[in-house]
Amino acid sequence: MSDEKTRWPFGGFFLKPSDEQNGTHEYEEYLRNCKESPLTEKEQQEWTESARAAIAELEQLNAEPEPTRQAAEAEVISSLQTPEPAELQEGCCTGQEAEEAPEVVPAEAIVPLGQIGGDAPAEKEQWAYASGLIGDAFQHWENGRVLLDMGTGRGKNEFIIKRLVSWRIDEMLTNMIIGRVLCLCPLKTLHAEMLQRRMEAANAESDGEPTEIAMTYDALYEFMLEVQTYQYIEARYRNDPASLKKYLARFKYIVADECHYFTDFSSYGINTYLSLEVLQKAEADHVVIYMSATGEETYKLLEETAKIPEDRIYQLPQDYRHIKQKYFYSRENLVMMLKSLPEDEKAVIFVSSGEDLLKMKEIFGDTAAYYCSDNNPKYGKRFNELTECVKDRELQKRYFFTTKAFGIGTEIKDRTVKHLYIDQWKPTDIIQSAGRKRPLDVDDTCTVYFRDYDADWYYGDLKKFKAIVTEELKPAVAYLAGAEAFEVFRNSGTPDSINKKIRKCRIMEFDDAKGEYRVNLLGVRQLKHELELLNEMLETSYKQVFAKYAPVLAEETVPYCFDSVADWIKAHLNQPMLKEEMYESIMALKVFKEYKGRPMGQVILNCKLQIYGVEIITVREFKRNENRNKTFWKLIRI
């Protein structure tokens, strides 16, 4: 076997299956030749260019009509083989022969769609990760939709990269069948994360292999798995739909990662309906995989257009075994809690807005890192780059303050991260944020703290959020109601104020080309859903709704109590004190904060003391002494 032939791009890949099929040992000879004659730097460059040229030709052919493409692909791949084509094809499946039966997933492992969010204990699951649950069934998925409704950390992306993409590479190299994968994600952070995972998968496959094999793995994974954002698809669909159709024709599979994008992200995005429309059309000639840990509303949306067969739905509940303790905390106590953490422990704090980041930066300065989406028009460029916050999945500072821009799909694998604070009100945001910590082993645990909006409304009133959502809805709802209703809305204030409301409405914009407004109906739907949630929280309680929509997280979650307050209560229980003296003594603990400098009354204090199991009652002294007719407070057990 000539040296030129053995070092041709992809040669080593074809020798391996050829040896298995023909009982030969040419791959061993190939490896020995690589070891004895390693590539020079110039040869490495030539190898890379040659491999990429071959892949580029395959990619170009992939856009050809089906019969033409299959014949051309076979010709290109055959030209890259070291064995003769007849030798390679001997014993290979032609695509018309009977395929080996896939690993069958037992019916009891497939949870009906109506049971999304089931609370089966993790220790009783037969499968812990997506790859185990799905088995080899993915090799026989036909066109249409597939749902991976699985909790955070259940290996959804690992399945896509290490099982689906790896198998498609094998199929290309052994059976001359190309089935490329397009993965769509909602954020730049997740886009970067997927590219890193793709590179890591290629490196793992080529571990210990010669340089040219490793380089070819990189090129093959890059060819077989393309990663884009939903926004990329939306822009192409609006500007050049014909071009997008040709682009999508290159792929066999489309992965809608974090598919709750179509619901949660629609409340502040004008174009989310476009990518959903593209995917639903693509189901006719692609396998479209929708996956998320919080995709229930999206799955309901999909079911309105077509019933999803139960054998195409794969579900695994959230696994929170690494969460050692769970607390509700008051926003007024956040800074004190953070500053009291052990110095060798790190914390991630998910805040609600860029304004919160500014406030925290004033307090924590350079001891913390701060991250906000680059797309945020007001705060996007005012904080750290993501790599300054998290590098190689480890925190670079003791504290990491971030908005939900980091709370989706990304991973933290850092044993020193022991605390997660979640200052967000939407259950889906909370579930996503709680899943960012990925334990390295059973000893890698953490504590999670959930903001209690019932306890300190004045730090972020749910009524304020309701007002924001209501105002966001008004222009779009009025426009959809017809010309007369929209005219009434336009006359409901001054021209400047109404035009400002319309400009600020993120689910509606004026289409200059058509001379009319364009409304994201998914955004209207999502805002109405959020309004229902907020009304439910205001009519009942925040914690009650939290328990309804995040039941596993709500289990055994208790209010956070300070030892200093508990000790003070123990020392002063059932001891009458002058009202003014008790108030000063309580405020000296620095746990409870006055709102805008206004002293708290007995009712408010009792709301705060309730979690400690005590309340203040009023007593009076009627004896003839210096305390006669003065007001006394006394702490008693509830």
Side-chain angles (χ1 to χ4, degrees):
M1 187 178 296
S2 68
D3 180 67
E4 180 183 359
K5 202 170 191 180
T6 60
R7 307 304 278 272
W8 192 255
F10 302 164
F13 287 89
F14 288 107
L15 287 172
K16 212 170 187 177
S18 177
D19 283 348
E20 294 172 358
Q21 293 164 5
N22 302 321
T24 54
H25 301 280
E26 294 188 63
Y27 185 63
E28 294 177 12
E29 183 180 339
Y30 176 87
L31 294 180
R32 187 163 49 250
N33 181 37
C34 290
K35 187 175 181 180
E36 293 173 356
S37 305
L39 294 178
T40 64
E41 186 174 341
K42 182 179 180 181
E43 288 172 331
Q44 287 185 27
Q45 184 176 354
E46 291 174 351
W47 174 276
T48 302
E49 291 173 356
S50 182
R52 292 189 183 280
I55 288 174
E57 187 173 353
L58 289 174
E59 185 173 11
Q60 183 177 357
L61 291 171
N62 204 38
E64 297 291 336
E66 189 73 18
T68 306
R69 185 174 77 233
Q70 289 183 350
E73 284 171 353
E75 183 178 346
V76 173
I77 295 176
S78 296
S79 72
L80 300 176
Q81 298 173 333
T82 300
E84 293 298 321
E87 296 174 350
L88 178 62
Q89 293 175 9
E90 184 179 346
C92 287
C93 176
T94 63
Q96 298 177 345
E97 301 174 20
E99 294 179 319
E100 183 180 347
E103 177 184 329
V104 178
V105 179
E108 61 269 19
I110 302 174
V111 184
L113 184 64
Q115 296 180 22
I116 287 176
D119 56 358
E123 61 268 24
K124 293 183 180 179
E125 294 165 18
Q126 189 170 350
W127 294 278
Y129 298 103
S131 295
L133 175 62
I134 297 169
D136 292 333
F138 69 92
Q139 297 180 10
H140 303 273
W141 286 342
E142 296 179 351
N143 292 338
R145 65 179 62 148
V146 175
L147 262 57
L148 304 190
D149 174 43
M150 303 179 183
T152 55
R154 290 298 197 176
K156 297 183 290 295
N157 284 311
E158 293 295 300
F159 162 75
I160 296 298
I161 298 173
K162 294 186 178 179
R163 294 297 307 282
L164 178 60
V165 173
S166 178
W167 172 63
R168 294 314 311 186
I169 290 174
D170 290 342
E171 285 289 285
M172 183 182 79
L173 296 174
T174 57
N175 296 329
M176 304 178 191
I177 300 172
I178 293 181
R180 297 181 64 204
V181 180
L182 172 64
C183 182
L184 302 177
C185 50
L187 296 168
K188 290 181 180 179
T189 51
L190 187 51
H191 182 273
E193 176 84 13
M194 284 298 293
L195 293 180
Q196 183 174 346
R197 291 185 188 185
R198 184 181 69 185
M199 179 185 68
E200 290 170 350
N203 292 343
E205 286 273 11
S206 62
D207 187 35
E209 299 280 13
T211 302
E212 51 265 49
I213 290 286
M215 292 160 57
T216 307
Y217 266 114
D218 290 341
L220 283 171
Y221 267 87
E222 187 175 332
F223 167 70
M224 196 58 67
L225 173 63
E226 185 161 329
V227 184
Q228 293 290 355
T229 62
Y230 290 109
Q231 293 85 348
Y232 172 81
I233 296 298
E234 291 157 6
R236 290 193 67 161
Y237 189 44
R238 285 208 73 194
N239 299 327
D240 194 349
S243 168
L244 177 63
K245 187 175 181 180
K246 291 181 181 179
Y247 171 73
L248 295 180
R250 304 176 188 175
F251 304 97
K252 170 65 177 173
Y253 303 85
I254 303 177
V255 179
D257 194 13
E258 307 296 350
C259 66
H260 62 281
Y261 169 79
F262 302 118
T263 50
D264 284 36
F265 283 67
S266 293
S267 61
Y268 49 86
I270 184 65
N271 292 318
T272 57
Y273 73 97
L274 294 173
S275 47
L276 180 60
E277 188 176 317
V278 168
L279 291 181
Q280 289 182 311
K281 289 180 179 178
E283 290 174 11
D285 48 15
H286 294 78
V287 178
V288 182
I289 304 168
Y290 299 88
M291 61 189 204
S292 173
T294 53
E296 184 172 1
E297 291 301 314
T298 294
Y299 304 145
K300 289 178 182 177
L301 185 67
L302 292 172
E303 284 239 308
E304 292 173 7
T305 59
K307 181 70 177 176
I308 306 166
E310 288 194 0
D311 63 353
R312 307 265 288 194
I313 301 171
Y314 299 88
Q315 294 183 300
L316 285 172
Q318 296 281 353
D319 182 6
Y320 294 123
R321 283 174 290 183
H322 64 288
I323 298 179
K324 183 175 61 175
Q325 290 177 298
K326 294 174 291 184
Y327 294 106
F328 285 115
Y329 76 96
S330 296
R331 172 64 179 80
E332 64 182 354
N333 298 141
L334 176 60
V335 173
M336 177 186 287
M337 293 169 72
L338 289 172
K339 289 187 174 181
S340 67
L341 295 178
E343 296 212 358
D344 60 343
E345 295 181 358
K346 296 176 184 174
V348 182
I349 306 94
F350 293 95
V351 300
S352 295
S353 66
E355 185 179 351
D356 291 331
L357 291 179
L358 283 180
K359 291 177 181 176
M360 293 299 107
K361 191 172 183 179
E362 290 176 3
I363 297 169
F364 290 92
D366 292 337
T367 64
Y370 312 86
Y371 180 72
C372 182
S373 170
D374 290 342
N375 295 323
N376 187 305
K378 188 173 182 180
Y379 299 103
K381 304 296 183 182
R382 302 177 69 171
F383 302 106
N384 299 100
E385 295 292 330
L386 184 58
T387 51
E388 297 172 325
C389 305
V390 181
K391 188 175 181 180
D392 297 328
R393 300 187 174 94
E394 293 185 349
L395 262 60
Q396 299 303 291
K397 295 288 183 74
R398 186 182 176 195
Y399 306 110
F400 174 34
F401 294 91
T402 180
T403 60
K404 63 182 289 183
F406 183 80
I408 299 173
T410 48
E411 294 182 331
I412 294 174
K413 292 185 176 179
D414 187 336
R415 195 178 298 277
T416 63
V417 173
K418 293 295 182 183
H419 306 272
L420 301 180
Y421 292 82
I422 304 176
D423 184 2
Q424 295 163 335
W425 70 269
K426 279 195 284 187
T428 49
D429 290 345
I430 292 168
I431 292 168
Q432 287 287 342
S433 296
R436 293 315 102 214
K437 163 85 173 179
R438 302 295 169 85
L440 297 168
D441 51 47
V442 294
D443 297 320
D444 187 9
T445 60
C446 69
T447 300
V448 181
Y449 310 80
F450 305 106
R451 165 80 180 280
D452 181 2
Y453 281 91
D454 292 332
D456 51 359
W457 55 267
Y458 40 83
Y459 272 92
D461 191 353
L462 293 175
K463 291 180 181 178
K464 181 184 73 175
F465 298 145
K466 178 181 175 180
I468 292 172
V469 172
T470 301
E471 287 302 307
E472 190 84 14
L473 268 172
K474 279 182 180 179
V477 170
Y479 182 76
L480 293 173
E484 186 176 337
F486 192 54
E487 188 63 24
V488 170
F489 169 74
R490 299 209 67 147
N491 292 325
S492 63
T494 64
D496 286 346
S497 66
I498 295 300
N499 288 334
K500 185 178 180 180
K501 288 182 179 181
I502 294 174
R503 286 195 303 271
K504 288 178 66 177
C505 181
R506 293 173 293 179
I507 61 170
M508 175 180 173
E509 71 175 11
F510 191 76
D511 190 329
D512 292 319
K514 295 183 178 180
E516 60 186 21
Y517 285 97
R518 183 167 64 99
V519 177
N520 183 356
L521 295 180
L522 293 183
V524 174
R525 177 184 178 127
Q526 178 62 19
L527 286 173
K528 287 182 176 180
H529 173 66
E530 291 179 10
L531 198 56
E532 289 175 3
L533 271 178
L534 287 164
N535 282 329
E536 189 176 356
M537 290 172 181
L538 290 166
E539 290 167 5
T540 56
S541 77
Y542 175 77
K543 290 195 288 293
Q544 187 172 322
V545 175
F546 176 85
K548 178 179 177 180
Y549 292 97
V552 180
L553 285 175
E555 290 174 2
E556 299 179 359
T557 301
V558 297
Y560 185 86
C561 296
F562 285 87
D563 291 339
S564 59
V565 177
D567 292 340
W568 183 89
I569 289 172
K570 186 177 180 180
H572 294 83
L573 192 65
N574 296 316
Q575 296 180 13
M577 295 176 64
L578 283 170
K579 171 185 173 181
E580 295 77 14
E581 290 179 1
M582 181 176 284
Y583 186 81
E584 289 178 9
S585 184
I586 290 173
M587 298 309 293
L589 298 171
K590 297 184 178 179
V591 172
F592 308 128
K593 304 291 190 298
E594 294 177 341
Y595 178 56
K596 295 184 177 180
R598 285 180 257 171
M600 289 176 280
Q602 185 176 341
V603 173
I604 297 296
L605 276 175
N606 278 339
C607 288
K608 295 179 178 295
L609 291 170
Q610 186 178 17
I611 64 174
Y612 294 89
V614 297
E615 67 176 0
I616 299 170
I617 63 171
T618 300
V619 294
R620 287 186 179 275
E621 176 64 72
F622 295 106
K623 293 181 181 180
R624 294 181 178 276
N625 57 36
E626 67 276 9
N627 293 323
R628 186 179 183 185
N629 294 327
K630 290 185 178 180
T631 301
F632 284 78
W633 280 356
K634 183 169 71 171
L635 280 173
I636 63 169
R637 292 289 180 192
I638 298 175

